[in-house]
Amino acid sequence: MQLSPIEVRETITKEEFKRDFLKPQKPVVIKRFIEDWPAFEKWNLDYMAEVAGDKEVPLYDDRPVDYKDGFNEPHAKMQMHEYIDLLKREPTKFRIFLWNILKEVPELQKDFSYPDFGIKLMKGLPMLFFGGEDSYTFMHYDIDLANIFHFHFHGKKQVILFDQEQNDYLYKIPHSLITREDINFADPDYDKWPALKHAKGYIADLEHGNVLYMPEGYWHYMRYITPGFSMSLRAIARNPKNLGKALYNIFVMRHFDNAMRRMKGQAWIDGKNEKAIIKTHRKLGIS
């Protein structure tokens, strides 16, 4: 993989963001943007255990997709205080993602505001993401191909990004939003996955208070170097092509994939995984 550092800005104005990153659809890490939020001082694992400790949370790990799993179906559930105790006690692969804080813990919305980046944010969908030491997400892109603003709290994590132009090199699984799950994007085996050598992307480490902007439809892989959590705010895709893909994913693709899992079982999952290799290598003339 050919990874360039994501550009870093200490702070940024709306005009600078629109000109330098939103319009050209380039990622950026902003280091000092939310220091006036109460969340900047308050949000850590202990605080989350205090305000949401009795909430049952959905947990996901790095096990391969199974045909019996529904779309985004959790692998386990646990009370938040138990999960945070686990994060602090030992490494764990369990993660929380897409946890809507407005729905689950409404008082947390008092700790942050919706920044003006020159693009309308969807105010009903602030989502939290948690992970243990060395846990990671599979390389994926979001179903709605949204513009994503990722606010990181507590700890440190690494992010690797690719735009949609890199699809031919990433071993994308058909009828899904992920690449092959057995690829280690932190240390890829180029003998097994030779197409990855051609993929051009971005890399950065995020620390407490950093804001990462991920443009529309960007693939992202995130690995928690230490236990921590982040919040994402999103804005609808503005590019008509990306908006069309988003509508297809939401209203057609995910329902078709679920139906085929029910009809064909594990053979559907295994077939998709094999096609990811065949299609990628065929396009690149790799035998």
Side-chain angles (χ1 to χ4, degrees):
M1 299 185 299
Q2 304 168 48
L3 301 179
S4 302
I6 297 175
E7 186 171 343
V8 177
R9 296 281 180 94
E10 283 292 315
T11 187
I12 200 167
T13 66
K14 176 173 69 173
E15 291 72 24
E16 290 170 339
F17 173 76
K18 291 173 65 177
R19 180 192 68 217
D20 297 340
F21 302 104
L22 180 62
K23 186 175 181 181
Q25 288 288 278
K26 288 176 52 181
V28 63
V29 172
I30 310 165
K31 295 182 72 174
R32 301 180 58 201
F33 192 80
I34 62 169
E35 292 178 356
D36 60 337
W37 285 9
F40 181 77
E41 296 290 343
K42 294 167 62 177
W43 282 20
N44 55 40
L45 292 177
D46 290 336
Y47 181 68
M48 289 296 164
E50 177 185 334
V51 300
D54 62 342
K55 298 293 183 181
E56 186 177 70
V57 293
L59 301 175
Y60 303 81
D61 58 24
D62 59 358
R63 74 188 68 179
V65 169
D66 187 278
Y67 78 95
K68 296 186 294 292
D69 296 336
F71 195 86
N72 284 346
E73 183 178 329
H75 299 133
K77 294 182 179 180
M78 192 179 293
Q79 286 194 315
M80 178 64 94
H81 73 89
E82 296 174 318
Y83 175 62
I84 289 177
D85 285 345
L86 177 63
L87 293 183
K88 293 164 66 176
R89 184 174 65 248
E90 61 191 44
T92 176
K93 296 297 185 182
F94 279 133
R95 296 174 291 105
I96 300 173
F97 83 107
L98 294 178
W99 197 62
N100 190 324
I101 63 174
L102 288 183
K103 176 182 177 182
E104 300 292 343
V105 192
E107 58 263 38
L108 286 175
Q109 66 185 301
K110 300 173 184 176
D111 293 339
F112 68 92
S113 57
Y114 292 87
D116 184 4
F117 286 109
I119 184 171
K120 188 175 181 180
L121 298 173
M122 293 186 277
K123 294 187 176 181
L125 294 173
M127 298 292 185
L128 286 183
F129 303 78
F130 290 71
E133 179 183 341
D134 209 34
S135 65
Y136 60 88
T137 65
F138 296 123
M139 182 67 75
H140 69 286
Y141 65 94
D142 286 14
I143 193 169
D144 58 355
L145 286 83
N147 293 276
I148 301 171
F149 299 88
H150 198 68
F151 304 82
H152 188 61
F153 299 93
H154 196 107
K156 185 176 182 178
K157 71 179 177 182
Q158 183 184 75
V159 58
I160 297 175
L161 305 179
F162 295 102
D163 62 34
Q164 288 282 314
E165 298 300 315
Q166 307 305 307
N167 285 10
D168 288 349
Y169 313 123
L170 298 179
Y171 298 92
K172 180 184 182 300
I173 303 295
H175 309 294
S176 75
L177 310 170
I178 63 174
T179 64
R180 287 275 309 210
E181 297 160 302
D182 45 352
I183 297 175
N184 178 5
F185 278 91
D187 185 21
D189 180 346
Y190 293 119
D191 291 329
K192 187 174 183 180
W193 313 109
L196 290 180
K197 292 186 287 187
H198 304 283
K200 297 179 180 179
Y202 301 90
I203 189 169
D205 288 344
L206 302 180
E207 298 182 341
H208 179 84
N210 290 175
V211 183
L212 168 67
Y213 167 61
M214 292 185 285
E216 296 178 15
Y218 262 52
W219 292 90
H220 43 286
Y221 162 92
M222 295 189 177
R223 181 173 65 88
Y224 290 83
I225 300 171
T226 68
F229 65 97
S230 307
M231 179 182 73
S232 281
L233 301 177
R234 59 208 306 113
I236 193 170
R238 292 152 47 115
N239 181 303
K241 182 179 178 181
N242 289 337
L243 185 58
K245 285 183 180 178
L247 294 172
Y248 171 79
N249 289 341
I250 294 168
F251 294 108
V252 179
M253 184 274 291
R254 65 173 174 175
H255 298 295
F256 172 74
D257 186 61
N258 278 335
M260 294 304 291
R261 292 188 195 195
R262 290 192 297 269
M263 290 173 58
K264 294 191 172 184
Q266 192 61 35
W268 172 247
I269 302 296
D270 295 341
K272 291 199 303 174
N273 278 311
E274 185 63 25
K275 286 180 181 177
I277 298 176
I278 294 171
K279 291 178 67 175
T280 299
H281 288 177
R282 182 185 295 151
K283 284 184 180 180
L284 299 178
I286 299 172
S287 59

